[in-house]
Amino acid sequence: MSQIPNDPAGTTQQFENFARQTPQQPVKTSGVNMGLVIGVVAVVAVVAIAAIAFMMV
């Protein structure tokens, strides 16, 4: 009696299907964090407005 080998990694067809799939999560790039830039700009604007208001008093 011959035994069918048990491949723990799955079949070739299963691997080929996996390799053809598109990534589920987008690849993160090392670009500028726009949230951080917007936050810094907002803080600078608030400080500038406060400085102008303080000078008028």
Side-chain angles (χ1 to χ4, degrees):
M1 226 171 32
S2 65
Q3 289 183 326
I4 298 173
N6 184 9
D7 183 8
T11 64
T12 302
Q13 290 83 13
Q14 288 173 330
F15 175 76
E16 288 173 350
N17 289 336
F18 171 76
R20 275 190 233 114
Q21 290 178 352
T22 57
Q24 298 298 322
Q25 297 177 352
V27 177
K28 187 171 183 176
T29 60
S30 61
V32 176
N33 187 348
M34 289 305 291
L36 180 62
V37 171
I38 292 170
V40 168
V41 169
V43 168
V44 169
V46 169
V47 169
I49 292 170
I52 292 170
F54 182 72
M55 288 181 180
M56 292 183 145
V57 174

